[in-house]
């Protein structure tokens, strides 16, 4: 925009015109900068899920496809076009929920990067060109979650613009008013669930080019003919197929779960090819041999049926199966020849049946079986060599059985086993060497055992054990030696976890660690235990002494690579917590830390100062009282701030000084605020925040005190009880005013190339805002800003006192515009540049100064820099004479930033001069230290 203005300038010769034009265009520029960084959209969540993997736990979410992160999820929609106007156009996924009734033409024309669109808009009529411009769209869903069915009208050519569409889904809709919808040839998955489909044949009328054999298609059109997935599940009236209903179609997977349609109907449907058939929850009592044999199916899912017995004749025609699921069928036994008649079988899922208590698998011989799931079968005993006839087995799932011990040899012969899940059994003993027959084991799950001690010897055998989960009811002591190659470790025990480590370094490679317990301790003898590779640490329930700064034996001495810390405690002792030694930490989730009430905010502040590089901060159940600027001031890299589950939360009015610095995403979920006008700035901020997407304020309530049950909506409290907040308006005004002032001042002087200056100013501002400014050398100690009228005093009194070497003066290096700016150097440029390379800024003020345009500008620049760079020291003000507050109040930003120690009234005498010098020295020292960090 700046460049554009520059090009426009030479054409404007009339200076009068240009001076009127400029402020206006500048205003336009400023407001455009604000708008293009988007205002908050009511009823929408705008988020970037790459920042926090668990985001859906905290806020309303839009279920995404892999690789998509930027989404907007809007609810209560009444007018789609109006809602979309407020949604940023760079979204990859959009979920719209409400009452749309009509989807107008070109509704999404501005959303060219959209890849997923999920519409829950009630009864809906889609106009012909509604999806124009969505040529990146891959997933389109029409959903309604109440029982069947709403009506949906789609014109035949509506999907034509969707050249990249992969999956199209209708759920809870009757489509019988639409006909001949032309499917994009890129389509691979078609879903029609909970619809009023009664016959398969109706698909031909609905979709003109789905089935090549369809006689309804008049002219030859590009046809689909091949689909990865056709999902027709939960169509409760779909009971007939119809001859040649799918004639000529080739399918990979057909899903008919929870429909009354008999699979026999498929035999004369004309379907050419089928690999996988899913027949879950259909009341089936016999293995469907016919259809399996007819299509030579590779995969068959028969979960949640009633196949209690399998007979040999049914099996005979199933020999093509590679994947079979008989999950939840009440199956009591398997026929002797079960696996020998299924020679291709690679995955067999027998979970949730009644195959126990003793596993009897006499004929369980297969050279190909790789995955066997026997979870939840009430198994108690695994006999000797139970799996020895499955030499290729790689995954064995035995979760939720009743196994109490593993006798020697029950896992014999599993040379290639990689995954073993024995969680939630009743294991009380593990023999040493029980894993010795599993040399290839990578992942072992022993959560939910009754073990109280685990000895290193018990985990020996596998050399590549990367992933280990251990859990006990109450106490768990774990003794070294540890498996040497652990990458991921999870341990849970309600009461206590103790690690006992001898002379070794057990966690050198560990990347992920999860501990869930009331207490965790690490006893190490003759060695310090390091976690040099830890990236991801999750701690639930543990007291914060684990991060204590006092503890002689700290659990985590240093975590150089830690990126994500999830720490939910529920203890009372968070005061000694310390997060130093985590230089890479990006994501911090803190919950249930009961900082001792009145200090809580201070403690949080101290904690956050230790991790200034943080990008994501999530605070839950912390009881922080009132959040204020000082809590977040140092978090300059924050991208997402999420405050969750707080009662009686206040937001201090000084937080609005951080508005230009606020992270792009600020979310409040499940918060009850305190009804106080001090927070009223958040009202206008949340709806018009210049660079932040705010979620959750429009739904929040506030309480006046603990006995207030009136559930007052927060924003209506502000509008009813708080006078219009001048601060925020003032902020917005001064935001543009600062620019206007600079221009007006510059216009007064013809020799300045104002446009060039303006551009520099905005460049500097923009770079600062994006945090990309190059690191500067600080050249001067103090930049002194004063007016010509006060120059005599500055040169005769101030400069000698500050510049002369001690003890005469302070020995500082000053920057004085009249003396240190180069001859002919542009004053505006030089001011901005020199302020940046000075450690401190000192403004000398008198009544005359405040009346001078130029002083005005300098002062505004100084305060402007404050907002843009809050970490910079505040300017010091020297008042040469009493100035009444009214004269200062137009600098409202300044007055808000100033603290008592920032200004000095020199006409009072010597005392103030001394305290001024002391304050100045302190400032300079502080800047010096920060630079060294
Ligand atoms: C998400 O966070 C919640 C709250 O801390 C936790 O209970 C849940 O397990 C987390 N989920 C994942 C997948 O991390
Ligand atoms: C669509 O099907 C539903 C349920 O079968 C029926 O009530 C409705 O009248 C049908 N509409 C049309 C236009 O055929
Ligand atoms: C077995 O089927 C159940 C139900 O579909 C599923 O939850 C489980 O993950 C499956 N087991 C394996 C090993 O895939
Ligand atoms: C599991 O085993 C315990 C004894 O070890 C027994 O009391 C319990 O009834 C068994 N549970 C089932 C579901 O078989
Ligand atoms: C099982 O094996 C361990 C060591 O390999 C041995 O000490 C123990 O006696 C064996 N137990 C049985 C019941 O054979
Ligand atoms: C560690 O956790 C992260 C995030 O949950 C996951 O992406 C990664 O695969 C895990 N690494 C290991 C070795 O389990």
């Amino acid at each position: 925009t700046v460049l554009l203005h520059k090009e426009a300038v030479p054409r404007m010769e009339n200076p009068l015109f240009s001076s009127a034009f400029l402020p206006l265009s500048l205003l336009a520029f400023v407001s455009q900068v604000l708008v293009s960084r988007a205002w908050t959209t009511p009823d929408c969540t705008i988020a970037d899920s790459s920042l926090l993997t668990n985001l859906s736990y905290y806020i309303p979410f839009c279920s995404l496809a892999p690789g998509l992160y930027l989404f907007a999820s809007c609810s209560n929609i009444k007018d789609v076009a109006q809602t979309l106007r407020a949604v940023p156009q760079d979204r990859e996924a959009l979920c719209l929920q409400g009452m749309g009734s009509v989807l107008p033409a070109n509704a999404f024309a501005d959303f060219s990067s959209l890849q997923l669109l999920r519409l829950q808009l009630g009864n809906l009529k889609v106009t012909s060109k509604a999806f124009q411009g969505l040529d990146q769209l891959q997933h389109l869903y029409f959903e309604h979650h109440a029982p069947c069915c709403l009506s949906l009208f789609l014109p035949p050519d509506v999907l034509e613009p969707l050249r990249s569409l992969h999956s199209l889904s209708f759920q809870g809709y009757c489509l019988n008013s639409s006909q001949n919808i032309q499917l994009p040839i890129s389509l691979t998955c078609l879903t029609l669930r909970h619809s009023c489909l009664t016959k398969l044949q109706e698909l031909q009328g609905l979709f003109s080019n789905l089935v090549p054999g369809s006689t309804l298609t008049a002219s030859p059109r590009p046809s689909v003919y091949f689909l990865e997935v056709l999902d027709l599940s939960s169509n409760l009236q779909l009971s007939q197929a119809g001859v040649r209903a799918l004639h000529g179609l080739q399918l990979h997977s057909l899903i008919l779960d929870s429909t009354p349609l008999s699979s026999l109907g498929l035999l004369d449907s004309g379907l050419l090819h089928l690999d996988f058939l899913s027949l879950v929850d259909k009341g089936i009592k016999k293995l469907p041999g016919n259809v399996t044999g007819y299509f030579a199916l590779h995969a068959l899912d028969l979960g949640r049926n009633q196949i209690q017995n399998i007979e040999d004749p049914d099996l005979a025609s199933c020999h093509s199966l590679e994947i079979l699921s008989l999950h939840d069928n009440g199956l009591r036994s398997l026929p002797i020849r079960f696996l020998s008649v299924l020679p291709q079988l690679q995955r067999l899922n027998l979970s949730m049946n009644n195959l126990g208590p003793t596993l009897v698998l006499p004929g369980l011989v297969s050279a190909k079986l790789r995955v066997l799931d026997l979870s939840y079968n009430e198994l108690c005993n695994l006999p000797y060599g139970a799996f020895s006839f499955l030499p290729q087995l790689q995954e064995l799932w035995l979760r939720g059985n009743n196994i109490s011990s593993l006798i020697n040899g029950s896992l014999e012969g599993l040379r290639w086993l990689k995954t073993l899940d024995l969680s939630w059994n009743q294991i009380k003993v593990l023999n040493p060497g029980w894993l010795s027959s599993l040399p290839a084991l990578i992942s072992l799950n022993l959560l939910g055992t009754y073990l109280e001690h685990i000895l290193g010897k018990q985990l020996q055998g596998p050399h590549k054990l990367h992933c280990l989960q251990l859990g006990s009811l109450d106490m768990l002591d774990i003794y070294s030696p540890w498996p040497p190659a652990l990458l991921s470790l999870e341990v849970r025990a309600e009461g206590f976890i103790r690690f006992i480590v001898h002379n070794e370094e057990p966690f050198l490679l560990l990347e992920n660690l999860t501990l869930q317990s009331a207490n965790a301790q690490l006893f190490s003898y003759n060695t310090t235990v390091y976690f040099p590779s830890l990236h991801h640490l999750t701690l639930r329930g543990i007291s914060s002494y684990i991060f204590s700064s006092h503890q002689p034996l700290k659990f985590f001495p240093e975590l150089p690579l830690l990126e994500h810390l999830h720490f939910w405690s529920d203890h009372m002792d968070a005061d000694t917590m310390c997060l130093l030694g985590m230089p890479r930490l990006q994501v911090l989730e803190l919950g249930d830390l009961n900082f001792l009430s009145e200090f809580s905010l201070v403690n949080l502040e101290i904690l956050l100062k230790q991790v200034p590089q943080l990008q994501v901060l999530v605070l839950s159940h912390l009881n922080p009282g009132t959040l204020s600027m000082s809590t977040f001031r140092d978090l300059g890299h924050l991208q997402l701030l999420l405050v969750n589950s707080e009662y009686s939360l206040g937001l201090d009015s000084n937080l609005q000084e951080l508005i230009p610095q606020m992270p792009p995403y600020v979310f409040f979920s499940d918060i009850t605020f305190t009804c106080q006008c001090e927070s009223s700035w958040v009202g206008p901020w949340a709806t018009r925040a210049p660079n932040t997407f705010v979620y959750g304020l429009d739904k929040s309530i506030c309480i006046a005190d603990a006995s207030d049950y009136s559930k007052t909506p927060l924003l209506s409290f502000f509008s009813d009880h708080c006078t219009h907040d001048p601060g925020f308006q003032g902020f917005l005004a001064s935001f543009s005013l600062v620019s206007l002032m600079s221009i007006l001042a510059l216009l007064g002087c013809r020799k300045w190339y104002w446009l060039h200056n303006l551009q520099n100013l905005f460049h500097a501002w923009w770079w600062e805002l994006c945090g990309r400014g190059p690191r500067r050398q600080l050249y001067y100690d103090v930049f002194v800003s004063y007016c010509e009228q006060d120059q005599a005093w500055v040169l005769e009194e101030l400069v000698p006192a500050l510049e002369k070497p001690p003890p005469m003066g302070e020995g500082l290096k000053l920057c004085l515009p009249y003396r240190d700016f180069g001859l002919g150097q542009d004053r505006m440029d030089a001011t901005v540049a020199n302020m940046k390379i000075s450690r401190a800024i000192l403004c000398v003020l008198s009544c005359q100064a405040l009346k001078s345009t130029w002083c005005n500008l300098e002062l505004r620049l100084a305060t402007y820099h404050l907002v843009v760079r809050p970490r910079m020291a505040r300017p010091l003000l020297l008042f040469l004479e009493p100035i009444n507050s009214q004269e200062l109040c137009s600098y409202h930003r300044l007055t808000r930033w100033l603290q008592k120690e920032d200004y000095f009234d020199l006409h009072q005498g010597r005392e103030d001069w001394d305290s001024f010098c002391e304050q100045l020295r302190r400032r300079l020292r502080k800047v010096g230290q920060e630079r060294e960090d």
Side-chain angles (χ1 to χ4, degrees):
T1 315
V2 173
L3 286 178
L4 213 149
H5 286 178
K6 192 177 183 178
E7 283 157 17
V9 167
R11 273 182 270 127
M12 295 183 301
E13 264 116 43
N14 183 343
L16 262 180
F17 172 67
S18 71
S19 66
F21 166 79
L22 189 71
L24 288 180
S25 66
L26 193 68
L27 257 188
F29 168 76
V30 169
S31 60
Q32 190 180 343
V33 167
L34 300 181
V35 171
S36 66
R37 303 211 46 186
W39 308 88
T40 302
T41 313
D43 280 331
C44 291
T45 318
I46 313 266
D48 175 353
S49 69
S50 68
L51 293 172
L52 182 66
T53 40
N54 203 1
L55 195 59
S56 60
Y57 177 83
Y58 299 103
I59 56 163
F61 205 66
C62 178
S63 348
L64 302 169
L68 303 185
Y69 303 106
L70 296 178
F71 73 87
S73 179
C74 300
S75 52
N76 295 323
I77 292 177
K78 297 191 184 65
D79 178 342
V80 175
Q82 190 187 344
T83 301
L84 289 179
R85 268 198 291 280
V87 171
Q89 294 163 2
D90 61 349
R91 298 294 100 178
E92 297 164 339
L94 202 53
C95 291
L96 305 177
Q97 187 257 326
M99 295 318 247
S101 75
V102 176
L103 208 53
N106 292 312
F108 306 96
D110 297 328
F111 293 82
S112 54
S113 41
L114 206 60
Q115 294 180 48
L116 182 146
L117 179 59
R118 193 180 290 276
L119 300 171
Q120 298 178 43
L121 294 172
N123 288 315
L124 190 62
K125 185 172 183 300
V126 181
T127 43
S128 216
K129 303 234 180 297
F131 300 126
Q132 208 71 28
L134 290 180
D135 45 17
Q136 306 280 318
L137 197 74
Q138 299 186 9
H139 312 273
L140 176 60
Y141 304 113
F142 297 89
E143 290 178 353
H144 172 68
H145 289 295
C148 175
C149 296
L150 297 184
S151 87
L152 171 65
F153 172 76
L154 290 175
D157 59 348
V158 67
L159 303 178
E160 221 160 80
L162 306 178
R163 274 178 280 145
S164 312
L165 197 70
H166 287 314
S167 46
L168 173 64
S169 167
F170 303 93
Q171 186 161 334
Y173 280 105
C174 270
L175 286 167
N176 52 358
S177 55
S178 312
Q179 285 293 314
N180 288 327
I181 301 166
Q182 173 114 26
L183 298 173
I185 48 170
S186 55
L187 196 72
T188 56
C189 299
L190 177 62
T191 302
L192 211 72
R193 310 179 66 169
H194 287 288
S195 77
C196 38
L197 210 60
T198 58
K199 289 185 196 171
L200 273 188
Q201 214 150 22
E202 290 164 25
L203 290 176
Q204 293 182 1
L206 273 178
F207 303 109
S208 63
N209 57 342
L210 177 66
V211 178
S214 158
T215 48
L216 294 172
T217 38
S219 58
R221 282 170 159 167
S223 298
V224 178
Y225 300 162
F226 174 79
L227 281 181
E228 281 292 325
V229 182
L230 177 59
D231 181 350
L232 300 173
S233 50
S234 306
N235 283 301
L236 303 181
Q237 301 164 42
L238 178 61
S239 54
Q240 301 169 38
V243 179
R244 296 164 68 83
L246 301 175
H247 184 73
L249 183 65
Q250 302 195 31
L251 274 183
H252 185 273
S253 309
L254 177 60
I255 303 175
L256 295 173
D257 303 352
S258 310
T259 62
L261 182 72
S262 156
S263 57
L264 287 177
L266 296 176
L267 297 185
D268 54 5
S269 66
L271 193 60
L272 276 189
H273 177 88
L274 188 63
D275 264 336
F276 169 51
L277 181 59
S278 180
L279 301 171
V280 173
D281 184 27
K282 286 169 63 75
I284 296 175
K285 298 205 166 70
K286 268 170 56 109
L287 215 58
N290 284 350
V291 71
T292 312
Y294 180 84
F295 290 108
L297 291 179
H298 288 147
L300 181 61
D301 189 346
L302 293 166
R304 292 178 23 227
N305 283 299
Q306 287 139 33
I307 307 174
Q308 292 179 358
N309 291 300
I310 296 178
E311 307 191 349
D312 277 1
D314 304 333
L315 272 177
S317 42
C318 294
H319 60 270
S320 56
L321 286 179
E322 291 167 11
I323 301 175
L324 174 62
S325 172
L326 288 161
H327 163 83
D328 193 6
N329 270 276
L331 204 61
R332 290 173 197 287
S333 63
L334 291 177
I336 302 250
R337 295 176 51 239
F338 184 70
L339 284 183
S340 50
V341 290
L342 299 175
Q344 306 297 326
L345 206 61
Q346 294 176 22
R347 296 181 72 101
L348 176 60
N349 192 334
L350 295 169
S351 57
M352 286 196 60
N353 284 297
N354 302 318
L355 295 172
T358 300
L359 184 65
V360 188
L361 297 170
L364 207 64
V365 181
S366 165
K368 293 214 166 144
L369 199 67
R370 299 228 159 84
V371 181
L372 176 60
D373 192 342
L374 288 165
S375 303
Y376 305 103
N377 266 290
E378 295 175 16
L379 294 171
C380 294
N381 307 309
L382 300 178
Y384 183 90
F387 307 101
S388 57
F389 304 105
L390 303 172
Q392 296 297 324
L393 207 61
Q394 294 182 0
E395 298 176 23
L396 179 57
W397 301 83
L398 291 164
R399 157 190 286 257
N401 280 297
N402 217 357
I403 300 166
S404 57
S405 70
L406 290 150
I407 65 155
N408 285 358
S410 56
L411 299 172
E412 204 61 42
L414 295 174
R415 274 196 310 139
W416 304 111
L417 198 71
K418 291 184 172 150
T419 302
L420 176 60
D421 185 347
L422 280 165
S423 57
W424 311 104
N425 277 288
Q426 320 215 338
I427 295 175
K428 298 184 186 77
V429 208
L430 291 175
N431 292 328
W434 70 291
L435 289 178
S436 60
S437 56
L438 308 177
L441 200 66
I442 288 176
S443 166
L444 173 64
N445 188 341
L446 286 172
L447 288 175
T449 67
Y450 288 74
L451 296 168
E452 291 186 349
H453 310 279
I454 292 183
L455 307 177
K457 280 185 286 189
Q458 290 167 322
L459 298 174
Q460 276 175 348
H463 300 297
K464 284 188 286 184
L465 195 59
H466 289 331
C467 178
L468 179 60
Q469 291 163 284
L470 301 174
S472 172
L473 276 189
D474 191 29
M475 315 276 243
L476 191 55
D477 286 346
I478 309 169
Y479 294 86
S480 53
W482 284 81
L486 273 190
L487 298 180
S488 160
L489 173 66
E490 172 171 358
V491 187
R492 296 192 212 165
E494 291 255 316
F496 225 103
I497 300 172
R498 269 190 296 233
F499 295 88
I500 295 104
V501 177
H502 288 272
N503 298 309
E504 57 177 332
E505 285 283 1
F507 304 115
L508 286 183
L509 303 177
L510 196 68
E511 288 174 11
N512 293 352
L513 175 63
T514 299
L515 300 178
Q516 179 169 332
S517 177
N519 287 290
Q521 280 188 2
L522 185 68
F523 294 101
S524 60
Y525 299 97
N526 309 328
T527 175
T528 314
V529 177
Y530 291 104
F531 295 84
S533 313
L534 204 63
H535 279 73
H536 210 106
L537 175 59
T538 303
L539 301 169
R540 297 202 192 99
I542 293 183
S543 150
S544 59
Y545 78 80
I546 202 163
F547 292 116
S548 166
S549 44
H550 309 320
Q551 194 81 356
L553 198 93
K554 281 177 70 179
F555 204 111
F556 301 109
E558 226 161 74
L559 298 171
L561 295 185
L562 194 73
E563 286 172 2
H564 189 143
L565 173 59
H566 176 121
F567 181 38
W568 281 42
S569 178
D570 49 11
H571 289 253
M572 295 298 292
D573 54 359
D575 304 302
T576 59
M577 196 171 153
C578 167
L579 294 179
L580 292 171
M582 307 180 186
R584 294 275 203 88
L585 194 70
Q586 288 176 6
V587 181
L588 177 60
E589 293 177 79
L590 286 179
D592 277 332
L593 285 177
N594 279 312
F595 291 116
L596 289 176
S597 51
E598 67 265 39
F599 303 117
S600 75
L601 204 56
V602 178
N603 284 310
L604 183 60
E605 228 167 85
I606 294 172
L607 213 55
L608 294 180
K609 279 205 183 0
Q610 299 166 353
V611 283
Q613 73 284 7
L614 219 55
Q615 293 184 4
V616 175
L617 175 63
V618 182
L619 304 173
S620 307
H621 308 285
L622 288 192
N623 231 342
T626 295
L627 293 178
S628 74
M629 183 179 71
S630 52
T631 318
F632 305 109
R633 174 151 49 180
D634 293 313
L635 298 178
H637 302 277
L638 210 59
Q639 302 282 310
L640 168 64
L641 170 64
L642 202 160
V643 188
N644 172 51
S645 281
E646 298 292 358
Y647 188 73
S648 180
L649 182 75
L651 298 174
D652 195 293
S653 67
N654 66 16
L655 268 172
Q656 56 190 311
E657 291 304 340
L658 289 183
I659 287 176
Q661 287 284 291
M662 288 269 187
Y665 301 98
V666 175
F667 298 154
F668 298 94
S669 93
D670 183 27
I671 306 281
T672 303
F673 287 90
T674 313
C675 294
Q676 57 182 21
C677 285
E678 231 203 340
S679 316
S680 66
W681 62 275
V682 307
W685 170 67
T687 44
R688 293 189 292 146
N691 42 14
T692 299
F693 296 112
V694 185
Y695 166 79
L697 288 179
D698 46 347
K699 293 179 195 67
S700 298
I701 58 165
C702 70
I703 50 164
D705 52 49
S707 60
D708 175 2
Y709 297 104
S710 61
K711 301 207 161 154
T712 318
L714 179 70
L715 296 185
S716 56
F717 169 81
F718 293 151
S719 53
D720 297 348
H721 295 90
C722 308
T723 50
H724 215 56
D725 173 45
F728 183 77
Q729 298 301 339
F731 164 75
L732 279 185
S734 76
F735 196 69
S736 25
L737 202 68
V738 103
S739 334
L740 284 182
M741 277 304 295
S742 16
I743 297 315
L744 293 177
L746 292 169
L747 282 177
C749 188
R750 231 171 274 155
K751 69 175 187 228
W752 287 327
Y753 301 98
W754 46 265
L755 200 69
H756 173 66
N757 289 318
L758 183 65
Q759 193 181 341
N760 281 352
L761 181 63
F762 274 115
H763 257 145
W765 169 73
W766 188 256
W767 282 103
E768 293 287 352
L769 204 65
C770 303
R772 279 181 282 171
R775 198 182 162 119
R776 285 157 290 116
Q777 285 297 319
L778 293 180
Y779 185 72
Y780 293 112
D781 291 317
V782 187
F783 181 93
V784 186
S785 170
Y786 59 89
C787 285
E788 247 172 74
Q789 289 88 337
D790 301 322
Q791 178 155 321
W793 181 84
V794 168
L795 295 185
E796 283 158 29
E797 312 256 342
L798 182 74
V799 171
L802 294 181
E803 274 195 337
K804 277 197 183 149
M808 306 279 285
E810 299 291 321
L812 297 176
K813 186 161 186 185
L814 302 187
C815 177
L816 299 175
Y818 99 97
R819 180 184 77 185
D820 299 310
F821 286 9
L823 210 65
Q825 192 180 6
D826 183 299
R827 183 155 175 184
M828 174 87 178
D829 269 354
T831 302
V832 173
N834 284 295
M835 274 185 178
K836 282 189 177 178
I837 55 169
S838 300
R839 288 164 195 268
I841 297 173
L842 174 61
C843 300
V844 177
L845 286 181
S846 61
C847 288
Q848 293 169 337
L850 287 181
K851 287 183 195 118
S852 134
T853 327
W854 179 246
C855 262
N856 240 305
L857 175 62
E858 265 183 7
L859 190 55
R860 282 181 189 279
L861 270 182
T863 65
Y864 183 72
H865 276 241
L866 280 175
V867 177
V868 172
R869 296 190 295 153
R871 295 198 65 179
M872 197 180 85
R874 296 179 301 269
L876 291 174
L877 266 66
L878 269 184
F879 292 108
L880 298 184
E881 56 200 331
I883 292 177
N884 74 32
S885 56
Q886 297 223 306
E887 278 172 275
L888 262 185
C889 91
S890 71
Y891 301 86
H892 67 88
R893 179 182 323 115
L894 185 66
T895 48
R896 187 135 17 80
W897 269 86
L898 284 181
Q899 297 175 2
K900 181 75 193 85
E901 70 264 24
D902 294 333
Y903 53 90
F904 302 90
D905 208 352
L906 278 197
H907 82 285
Q908 307 239 350
R910 185 76 208 169
E911 232 168 74
D912 255 37
W913 173 255
D914 288 342
S915 62
F916 161 71
C917 289
E918 178 48 37
Q919 179 67 12
L920 185 60
R921 270 177 252 148
R922 209 179 308 146
R923 283 291 164 81
L924 296 173
R925 266 202 306 276
K926 192 163 157 244
V927 175
Q929 283 162 1
E930 276 168 14
R931 306 276 307 175
E932 276 153 30
D933 288 345

